[in-house]
Every structure is written in C-alpha cells, then in structure tokens.
Amino acid sequence: MAERTDELARDATWCEEEREGDCREIRQTAATTAVTVRHNFESAHRLPQLGGKCHNLHGHSWWVEATVAGEAGADGIVVEFHDLKSYLREWIDENLDHGAMLGSEDELVPALNAANSKVFVFGKADPSFGLSWPTVENVAELLSRVTAGYLQSRGWPGVRVSRVVVRETHVNAAEVSW
Ligand SMILES: Nc1nc2c(c(=O)[nH]1)N=C([C@H](O)[C@H](O)COP(=O)(O)OP(=O)(O)OP(=O)(O)O)CN2
C-alpha cells in the first residue's frame, strides 16, 4: 500500500511539471473508485460498562455498509459485488445474526453458552481482539477487520477497506474510515 501511495505522489508531481494533454492519461490511471455493499442482521447486545438502560440485554436491527476502494482493473471492476457480499453475509449470518454480542468480561457469557444460545464474544480473539465491548464503534471496527480479511484472502491487488458504517438504530451510527 505504501508503495502505491508513493506511485500516486510521483504521478502528481510529474503532472504538475508536464503539459495538460500528457497529464490526462496519468490522472485516469491514478483514479480510485469506491464500491459499497450493505447487509443487515438482528442481534442483541448490552453495555454494562456504560450503566443505565444499556446494561439491559436488548436487541437492534443492525445495518452495515462496507466500502472498499481501489483502481478498477481491466475487467472494469474494483471487486466483484456478489463475491464481497457473499463473504460478508456469510460471516455476519454465521457469527452475529440472531445471536447476542457480549464483552468477554460479561457475566452473561457463561449463562448463554450453557444454554447453547448463540453468542459472539468481543475482545478475546481475532477478529475482535482488543475490542472489549460490543459498542457500535467496536462492531464497525470488527466488520472492517472482517472486510480486510476478505480482501487479503482474495488477493485483490491494491484494494483496501476505506469505510465501514454500522447503524444500530435510525439515529445511532458509527463509522470507521481511512
Ligand atoms: N458511543 C456510543 N454510545 C452509546 C452506545 C454505543 O454503542 N456507542 N450504545 C448505547 C446503547 O447500547 C443503546 O442501544 C443506545 O442508547 P440510546 O441512543 O440512548 O437509546 P435509544 O436508542 O433508546 O435512543 P432514543 O433516541 O432516545 O430513542 C448508548 N450509548
């Protein structure tokens, strides 16, 4: 990625020094295109560290918007929509949908596990390592890591996660962006 940024910076400098006509082609090859997919899932969470009503186990209809950016290839695409969506949907449906998201220190974790009820525990292991509680911010960070893992596994050259937005209600959202 660092190499690519350097390349763009070199192109920009070159552009400033050359005639307008020569620059047009360079600008086109340096263009970045962003591609966005959406998915939703139903999940409970609770944030006992915040106190108040967030202490209660409660559910939301979550919406995720994942944006990846890069240069479109010779086939005219940055990443294939269906491929990206299938990967994200499968991961979300398997790990989060119709389950509960809890922090690793949450005393409800053993109880839900004992009841064989689906629970995704934040903060213990990849891809949520270091994200202690299932806040909207941390769900957005988690899903950006999942999206980054997808790009890595597919080996799309020069494509990166540029933005992930997660909404837990119509009025509450968090965004991570680069
Ligand atoms: N920065 C964050 N603040 C809060 C989060 C969070 O994830 N990040 N989460 C909560 C609670 O979990 C709760 O679900 C939302 O709280 P709140 O907006 O206060 O509750 P309502 O959805 O009922 O909001 P109204 O607009 O008043 O209906 C709290 N804070």
Side-chain angles (χ1 to χ4, degrees):
M1 199 56 233
E3 229 179 86
R4 197 182 167 85
T5 309
D6 290 343
E7 237 171 65
L8 296 182
R10 249 197 333 273
D11 286 348
T13 313
W14 187 86
C15 252
E16 279 163 24
E17 292 167 3
E18 296 297 319
R19 285 176 296 116
E20 184 61 29
D22 294 334
C23 289
R24 207 165 296 136
E25 195 178 337
I26 296 278
R27 284 196 187 114
Q28 278 173 8
T29 54
T32 295
T33 305
V35 163
T36 300
V37 296
R38 287 199 187 121
H39 190 43
N40 73 318
F41 60 97
E42 318 303 321
S43 180
H45 77 153
R46 72 169 196 153
L47 304 171
Q49 84 282 14
L50 298 187
K53 61 186 176 182
C54 305
H55 174 86
N56 300 312
L57 188 64
H58 60 279
H60 295 289
S61 251
W62 302 76
W63 277 93
V64 186
E65 208 171 276
T67 301
V68 301
E71 199 177 320
D75 53 4
I77 65 168
V78 177
V79 298
E80 209 274 313
F81 279 132
H82 178 76
D83 198 48
L84 172 58
K85 271 188 300 193
S86 305
Y87 183 93
L88 269 180
R89 282 176 178 166
E90 261 172 47
W91 194 92
I92 288 170
D93 291 351
E94 186 183 327
N95 291 283
L96 308 180
D97 190 44
H98 283 77
M101 300 185 285
L102 298 175
S104 56
E105 300 302 310
D106 196 310
E107 62 194 354
L108 289 185
V109 172
L112 287 183
N113 280 333
N116 203 22
S117 186
K118 186 170 169 178
V119 56
F120 184 86
V121 179
F122 270 68
K124 259 198 167 161
D126 270 345
S128 72
F129 186 75
L131 307 173
S132 47
W133 296 102
T135 60
V136 186
E137 291 90 330
N138 281 349
V139 176
E141 171 63 26
L142 165 72
L143 294 173
S144 76
R145 293 179 186 179
V146 171
T147 309
Y150 157 80
L151 293 176
Q152 204 171 22
S153 71
R154 292 295 191 273
W156 298 93
V159 183
R160 63 186 175 83
V161 183
S162 70
R163 179 174 173 263
V164 171
V165 180
V166 169
R167 295 174 214 285
E168 64 164 11
T169 69
H170 286 295
V171 291
N172 294 353
E175 171 177 335
V176 287
S177 58
W178 294 268

